[in-house]
Amino acid sequence: MDILTLLPFIVLIGAMFLMTRSAKKKQAAAAQMRNDMQPGTGVRTIGGMYATVKEVHDDTVLLEVAPGVHAIFAKNSIGAVLDDAEYNRIVHGDDEELDADGTVVPDDASSLTGESDDVEVAKIDLAKDDAADDAEPEDAAVKDAKDVKDAKGESKTDGEADSK
């Protein structure tokens, strides 16, 4: 056999080997992260719930999801082990970086536009026009009758179908 005929198979096998190897590395890293959990650390479950680790067992973890509320989870359900700063920022709203910079972001974008308050804002008149009230609307039944005509120009009444 020629080497050129075997080359696509060799490349395919090599690609499969590399993909499974990277997946195994990710699984090993996740298992190591779960084994390194200690009581008192903050975690995020795969469902997106944040909690504090209270006890670690072989296959399960006791989590405190709220003060005084404990739940038992499988170790495989832990998505990430968070460091203390990140856990406090997400759960308690503590933002040490904001305090260090001293910058405060406003709730609205009015201060970011650079326009002063002295500029008059064009207001839109949403009041109803009297002229529009004076015009009489076309009878709805007549309008519907005009809309319901087939290609031959014959008008149809309600309930009639196009039968051929």
Side-chain angles (χ1 to χ4, degrees):
M1 287 178 73
D2 191 18
I3 189 73
L4 291 176
T5 57
L6 293 177
L7 186 62
F9 295 113
I10 294 171
V11 170
L12 182 65
I13 291 172
M16 289 174 50
F17 173 74
L18 291 175
M19 285 190 290
T20 57
R21 184 174 165 208
S22 66
K24 284 184 181 181
K25 281 186 179 181
K26 287 180 184 179
Q27 286 178 348
Q32 182 65 30
M33 176 221 27
R34 290 180 186 118
N35 288 333
D36 290 344
M37 278 188 301
Q38 296 178 0
T41 58
V43 296
R44 182 184 68 234
T45 65
I46 57 174
M49 183 175 60
Y50 293 92
T52 305
V53 176
K54 289 297 177 182
E55 295 177 9
V56 179
H57 301 286
D58 291 336
D59 294 331
T60 60
V61 179
L62 180 66
L63 300 179
E64 184 177 29
V65 295
V69 179
H70 296 86
I72 297 175
F73 281 81
K75 268 190 178 180
N76 291 338
S77 68
I78 303 300
V81 176
L82 309 171
D83 59 348
D84 291 335
E86 184 178 4
Y87 180 77
N88 288 333
R89 180 182 61 82
I90 293 170
V91 175
H92 303 295
D94 297 342
D95 199 359
E96 297 171 6
E97 295 174 6
L98 181 62
D99 296 338
D101 293 342
T103 57
V104 176
V105 178
D107 289 339
D108 61 350
S110 62
S111 64
L112 301 176
T113 59
E115 296 178 7
S116 64
D117 293 335
D118 299 336
V119 178
E120 288 186 30
V121 179
K123 295 186 179 181
I124 300 172
D125 185 22
L126 299 177
K128 204 172 189 184
D129 253 354
D130 290 337
D133 288 340
D134 295 339
E136 292 188 24
E138 188 177 356
D139 188 20
V142 173
K143 187 176 181 180
D144 288 342
K146 288 180 183 177
D147 291 340
V148 185
K149 288 188 177 183
D150 65 356
K152 296 178 185 176
E154 300 172 359
S155 63
K156 298 179 204 174
T157 61
D158 290 340
E160 285 187 4
D162 288 332
S163 59
K164 295 190 180 197

